[in-house]
Amino acid sequence: MKGTMKISKKTLSVLKNFSDINMSVEVKAGNTLRTVSVAKNILAQVEIEESFPREFAIYDVNRFLGAASLFEEPNFEFGEKSVKIGTDKYSLDYVYCDPHMIVTPPENNITVPDPEVRFKLTQGNLSQVLKAGHVLGTPEISVESSGDKMVMKALDVNNDSSDTFTVDLDGQVNGGKFRFVFKIENFKMISADYDVEISSKGIARFSNSTSNTQYWIATETSSTYGG
């Protein structure tokens, strides 16, 4: 079965974001894109405005996006072994890869068991923490509380003398003490506002209901809850 369609700039930007998580992607028929990191500590899902007519896999997403950029508003005709990208005058055949050659997402999404921490992470706070982390060269991001207020930090958990950037978060603490640690390199989310749930079982979910976007990110073993 073949299907010809346009792919919006928004969807191409989602694929670009996914390429930061995994250089390869398997696309299922329908309007949901999913990817997982090679280490399987990041899972992402975005519902898009188009619906892909068939399942296919791309080995190098950035190369695919580069091929698409050769054309002004191209059509994409999805065949059995390749996609024809082009206009009335120019076209190229981009060959799919075998999905068994790449790391693909699990069939089901990850459950966040009994999340102890919930808060809203604004786009501004997320951008500031990531910017500070890159400026300071800190390898981790933490969400933590000593029992009164919740903060997010860009820090080095293994170096008490390192520079630390802190932003106050709005969220229910209820006297709990915790420090959930993430590798800054795992914060690959599209810039947006997120509802965040974190479980002491080792997983966090970042979701934006407006754009139907979700990321699941593993916490590091240096995380602590209670005590």
Side-chain angles (χ1 to χ4, degrees):
M1 182 183 91
K2 290 186 177 182
T4 302
M5 61 184 285
K6 297 281 190 182
I7 300 179
S8 69
K9 290 182 179 178
K10 185 176 181 180
T11 296
L12 292 174
S13 71
V14 170
L15 288 171
K16 178 61 178 175
N17 169 253
F18 278 15
S19 73
D20 292 334
I21 298 171
N22 187 334
M23 66 174 286
S24 309
V25 69
E26 180 185 37
V27 176
K28 300 285 190 180
N31 69 335
T32 300
L33 292 176
R34 300 172 77 237
T35 192
V36 67
S37 62
V38 173
K40 299 186 177 179
N41 53 3
I42 310 169
L43 174 66
Q45 175 177 298
V46 181
E47 291 182 22
I48 58 173
E49 55 195 71
E50 305 92 344
S51 183
F52 285 98
R54 65 180 307 133
E55 180 178 331
F56 61 95
I58 299 295
Y59 184 76
D60 188 336
V61 176
N62 280 322
R63 188 168 181 267
F64 171 77
L65 294 174
S69 73
L70 294 171
F71 307 93
E72 187 71 29
E73 297 186 358
N75 290 311
F76 294 79
E77 183 179 320
F78 293 92
E80 182 178 351
K81 295 183 178 180
S82 65
V83 53
K84 183 178 180 180
I85 308 171
T87 61
D88 292 340
K89 189 173 183 180
Y90 305 104
S91 67
L92 70 83
D93 285 317
Y94 195 97
V95 180
Y96 309 140
C97 76
D98 184 338
H100 294 98
M101 294 173 57
I102 64 177
V103 177
T104 58
E107 287 297 320
N108 298 314
N109 287 331
I110 299 170
T111 299
V112 181
D114 302 321
E116 293 93 351
V117 175
R118 293 182 173 88
F119 64 95
K120 291 187 179 297
L121 178 60
T122 67
Q123 180 176 347
N125 285 345
L126 174 60
S127 297
Q128 279 294 100
V129 169
L130 289 175
K131 182 179 179 180
H134 292 307
V135 167
L136 299 175
T138 52
E140 286 101 13
I141 288 175
S142 71
V143 175
E144 57 185 83
S145 171
S146 58
D148 50 359
K149 66 178 181 179
M150 193 188 314
V151 298
M152 177 176 273
K153 296 181 178 181
L155 76 171
D156 184 342
V157 297
N158 295 313
N159 185 359
D160 291 337
S161 64
S162 68
D163 301 318
T164 300
F165 178 87
T166 303
V167 60
D168 289 350
L169 298 173
D170 294 326
Q172 294 291 328
V173 178
N174 299 324
K177 295 182 180 181
F178 53 84
R179 176 193 259 188
F180 293 109
V181 180
F182 304 87
K183 289 289 187 185
I184 195 170
E185 65 192 36
N186 291 341
F187 267 49
K188 304 289 190 181
M189 300 89 78
I190 294 171
S191 184
D193 297 332
Y194 289 98
D195 292 312
V196 184
E197 299 175 326
I198 309 178
S199 169
S200 61
K201 302 295 191 297
I203 193 70
R205 182 172 76 112
F206 297 75
S207 59
N208 181 295
S209 57
T210 303
S211 61
N212 293 314
T213 301
Q214 299 182 83
Y215 296 85
W216 292 262
I217 303 176
T219 59
E220 297 301 303
T221 55
S222 54
S223 301
T224 58
Y225 180 78

